[in-house]
Amino acid sequence: MRKKRKRDAPKGQGKKKIENSGYSGGGANLSSNILKSWFPVKLSSKSDIDRNLQILRNRASDEAINTPIGAAAINTSTLNAVGTGLTLFPRLKYRILGISPDDAREWSRRARQEFEMWASSKDCDIYRRNNFYDLQYIAYMAYLTDGDSFALFRRKAPTSWMPYSLRLQVLEANRVSNPLLSGNTAPYGISSVEMRNTDNDNRIVSGVEVDDDGAIAAYWVSNKVPFDRIDIDGIVEWQRVEAFGPRTGMPNILQICHDVRADQYRGVPYLAPVIETLKQVSRYTTAELASAIVKTFFSLFFTQSATSMDVGDVLGNPYGSYEGESEDDSHAPIVDVGEYALGAGTLNALPKGVDVKAVDASNAQSTFKPFLDELIKQIGAALNIPSEVLTKAFTSSYSASRAALLQAWDEFKARRVWFARDFCQPVYEAWLTEAVATGRIEAPGFFDDPLIRNAWCNAEWFGPAMSILDPTKDVTGSHLRVLYGLSTREREAAEMTGSDYEDNLAQIAYEREKMQELGVTESDKAASSTSTTAGDGQDEQSDGKGDEPDEKMLENPQRGRFL
């Protein structure tokens, strides 16, 4: 039987490969020279975060202490997000409580005064070293550096000068860790990320105990930093602190942290994405600094030609060598450098065969600044802080500088809100609970209905205002926001100057009354200076059109005034 011959496919028409669609030709390409050997693996947060936390914290802490850009990132965020401390502004939901706005304002004023008495005293700190506003700064900076920080609610007996028992103890992240040598089981020994609590079979993940549902049940807090060779005050012991009180449901400990993964229990240091770049910038800067120092040196070397010989070289020295000199000493100096000097109009005669060579220390690196600027831009982009704000160098136009400030301000405001949720508001609620329980603050229904309690506890927290490049334009913008109902005078006063609007009104009323009493009148020119100077200092890239507010609108008494 005749075998059928296989017909060869025409040239260029071989068997077609089945190709995937979508990212197969892009980020998931396995044949690209750039990507074919790149196989990163994304695992659980325990593998990606907790397993690397110790080295991340150590490196981030070193960057925050020993590198200028790392320190600038931490300090800039802390200064703008918290500054001298976030200030309480109670915001009662008076409709739910069934009280009038005037009664709500009077209650808020009373609560603020009472809270300020506790918050401004160092007695609120278990160590009696800082008041509540200073503790905010410490807790926020520790949260940025280590990824999270903690605050314990402690109690001390009230005194005649401090009627409240509430105390705060701020802890750094390394004080909360898996309890070693406590009888709990750890599959991988001392380096385990996860352990089991043998008493209730809960999991302990990096010091955070969670139940079967993954909800936080407790924290394991050590009495000192583990493995600290300097702190020799006793051995390290861990104590289990329940996350919430079994009877009240209120927190016993606060964790200041911002999660980025769904199953995450510990925070990531703020500088973690830029640790390598920061280290390279530090090394590059140090190398350039050393190079610049070397450039200031002027060194001369005396050399002798190997072919130059005189009679002494042939016959030797008939008197022998002088004391301390060896005839075969190849390391002996060619000349006595003390016999020669550099100076204006100075001539030096050198021995025969001796030459002078200068070290060329010129190693100008004209690319240092542009390269460093680009690296800092990348660091700033990763940290959500524009490079102008990070380096405090505003060399561009007014519009560009203001845009950089506004972008940075979005980052600072977001972190302020997160911090207030995690730290300030829970502390205020714990304080208010004690104030109501002891009768120092009246809040009917506070312990009867969670909705009523939430209405009494509602509050806002205001911190330092954004830096103002042109006060005239910013105040005009504030005025227009109030004029069109986009904001309130109270909010503008809090955000722009950190002051209380009602306190401002009371002070202004007093000052005006005092001025009338003394016969001092306010200048009309000062009152109208805003409209006449609104166009001053305009951007060099702007023609000034549209920058000034509508004069007639601002001067219309029917539309209201700022005060």
Side-chain angles (χ1 to χ4, degrees):
M1 222 177 143
R2 229 174 180 186
K3 285 186 180 177
K4 285 186 180 179
R5 288 179 61 187
K6 244 182 185 179
R7 299 180 72 181
D8 295 334
K11 248 183 182 179
Q13 297 183 11
K15 196 180 262 186
K16 288 187 176 180
K17 293 182 180 179
I18 300 176
E19 293 184 359
N20 292 327
S21 59
Y23 291 105
S24 299
N29 196 321
L30 299 177
S31 59
S32 167
N33 292 332
I34 301 173
L35 303 176
K36 64 182 179 182
S37 59
W38 184 27
F39 294 99
V41 179
K42 181 180 179 179
L43 300 174
S44 66
S45 62
K46 288 184 289 187
S47 297
D48 295 345
I49 297 175
D50 296 86
R51 184 67 183 88
N52 303 306
L53 262 182
Q54 185 175 1
I55 191 167
L56 281 177
R57 284 185 196 140
N58 292 339
R59 289 177 175 174
S61 178
D62 182 70
E63 297 284 2
I65 295 173
N66 296 315
T67 62
I69 302 301
I74 297 293
N75 293 332
T76 300
S77 182
T78 306
L79 181 65
N80 289 276
V82 175
T84 56
L86 304 186
T87 305
L88 168 69
F89 283 81
R91 293 287 186 267
L92 298 187
K93 299 179 180 179
Y94 58 89
R95 293 186 179 88
I96 295 177
L97 298 173
I99 61 177
S100 67
D102 291 338
D103 291 339
R105 284 191 172 278
E106 185 59 34
W107 187 96
S108 298
R109 189 178 297 108
R110 166 66 178 165
R112 276 194 67 187
Q113 292 172 351
E114 196 76 13
F115 180 78
E116 180 66 18
M117 177 186 65
W118 175 83
S120 60
S121 171
K122 292 186 178 181
D123 287 316
C124 71
D125 181 9
I126 193 68
Y127 300 125
R128 298 186 73 179
R129 286 188 54 83
N130 301 282
N131 61 26
F132 177 61
Y133 305 106
D134 297 331
L135 290 177
Q136 291 182 38
Y137 191 95
I138 296 171
Y140 185 86
M141 181 169 281
Y143 143 67
L144 287 185
T145 305
D146 297 333
D148 52 15
S149 59
F150 297 83
L152 274 170
F153 287 122
R154 303 283 298 274
R155 297 287 173 178
K156 275 193 172 182
T159 62
S160 58
W161 60 86
M162 176 49 65
Y164 295 99
S165 64
L166 179 63
R167 303 291 187 270
L168 298 177
Q169 182 180 2
V170 175
L171 304 173
E172 292 187 348
N174 51 11
R175 290 281 299 277
V176 177
S177 58
N178 286 346
L180 307 176
L181 310 175
S182 59
N184 298 317
T185 58
Y188 301 106
I190 197 171
S191 62
S192 289
V193 168
E194 184 174 338
M195 305 175 67
R196 283 281 177 184
N197 187 342
T198 54
D199 295 334
N200 53 22
D201 206 35
N202 283 344
R203 293 180 297 129
I204 306 175
V205 182
S206 296
V208 182
E209 183 177 321
V210 297
D211 60 17
D212 294 336
D213 296 327
I216 297 176
Y219 294 89
W220 288 83
V221 182
S222 60
N223 60 339
K224 63 178 186 177
V225 177
F227 311 113
D228 190 336
R229 298 179 181 180
I230 304 300
D231 187 357
I232 59 174
D233 184 18
I235 62 174
V236 183
E237 296 178 349
W238 279 263
Q239 183 176 351
R240 184 179 183 270
V241 179
E242 292 190 4
F244 304 94
R247 294 177 60 188
T248 63
M250 296 186 63
N252 295 320
I253 182 173
L254 303 177
Q255 182 182 11
I256 297 96
C257 174
H258 180 62
D259 296 343
V260 294
R261 298 279 294 270
D263 56 347
Q264 178 181 343
Y265 292 106
R266 298 304 300 267
V268 180
Y270 180 54
L271 299 179
V274 295
I275 283 178
E276 184 178 359
T277 308
L278 279 172
K279 192 61 178 176
Q280 296 288 46
V281 168
S282 177
R283 287 174 174 170
Y284 183 41
T285 305
T286 303
E288 283 297 318
L289 178 61
S291 175
I293 293 174
V294 169
K295 290 177 190 177
T296 63
F297 299 154
F298 183 73
S299 302
L300 296 177
F301 287 88
F302 293 91
T303 62
Q304 185 176 29
S305 174
T307 58
S308 65
M309 298 181 67
D310 55 16
V311 177
D313 295 328
V314 178
L315 302 179
N317 188 354
Y319 301 102
S321 59
Y322 56 82
E323 184 180 355
E325 179 190 20
S326 172
E327 293 184 358
D328 300 325
D329 188 2
S330 59
H331 299 289
I334 298 172
V335 297
D336 183 4
V337 294
E339 297 179 359
Y340 303 93
L342 293 177
T346 302
L347 295 177
N348 292 291
L350 294 176
K352 184 180 179 182
V354 176
D355 193 10
V356 178
K357 290 187 177 179
V359 176
D360 183 12
S362 61
N363 185 25
Q365 296 291 338
S366 60
T367 60
F368 172 70
K369 188 181 185 308
F371 183 66
L372 191 65
D373 289 345
E374 288 303 317
L375 288 178
I376 293 177
K377 284 180 183 178
Q378 294 183 23
I379 293 172
L383 300 178
N384 281 334
I385 302 179
S387 58
E388 297 93 336
V389 180
L390 188 60
T391 58
K392 315 296 188 298
F394 297 95
T395 57
S396 302
S397 63
Y398 170 83
S399 298
S401 298
R402 180 167 174 77
L405 282 173
L406 290 174
Q407 288 184 353
W409 195 243
D410 290 338
E411 160 74 9
F412 302 145
K413 284 197 298 185
R415 292 197 175 272
R416 177 184 295 178
V417 171
W418 299 336
F419 180 73
R421 289 173 184 167
D422 287 348
F423 184 70
C424 298
Q425 184 65 23
V427 170
Y428 171 61
E429 293 178 7
W431 169 86
L432 185 58
T433 300
E434 181 179 355
V436 175
T438 56
R440 293 191 65 87
I441 296 290
E442 293 184 4
F446 189 88
F447 297 106
D448 299 333
D449 188 343
L451 180 62
I452 299 297
R453 181 179 183 275
N454 178 264
W456 286 113
C457 292
N458 192 53
E460 289 183 333
W461 297 85
F462 292 102
M466 183 182 72
S467 300
I468 297 178
L469 296 181
D470 189 334
T472 300
K473 291 183 178 179
D474 285 293
V475 171
T476 302
S478 175
H479 179 100
L480 293 176
R481 284 193 294 271
V482 173
L483 196 64
Y484 287 111
L486 303 176
S487 183
T488 65
R489 291 176 172 85
E490 188 173 43
R491 176 177 291 276
E492 292 298 323
E495 290 187 347
M496 291 197 69
T497 62
S499 60
D500 181 82
Y501 178 68
E502 293 188 0
D503 292 343
N504 293 346
L505 288 181
Q507 181 64 25
I508 291 172
Y510 168 78
E511 291 175 357
R512 287 179 176 174
E513 182 181 350
K514 198 68 176 174
M515 291 172 68
Q516 290 177 359
E517 179 185 336
L518 299 175
V520 179
T521 58
E522 296 184 73
S523 172
D524 294 335
K525 293 182 180 180
S528 61
S529 60
T530 300
S531 60
T532 58
T533 59
D536 294 344
Q538 291 178 353
D539 190 339
E540 61 271 16
Q541 296 179 1
S542 171
D543 58 2
K545 294 180 181 179
D547 286 343
E548 295 190 25
D550 188 346
E551 301 289 344
K552 294 180 180 179
M553 177 186 65
L554 293 179
E555 294 175 0
N556 185 356
Q558 303 300 324
R559 303 301 299 271
R561 295 183 178 179
F562 189 72
L563 294 177

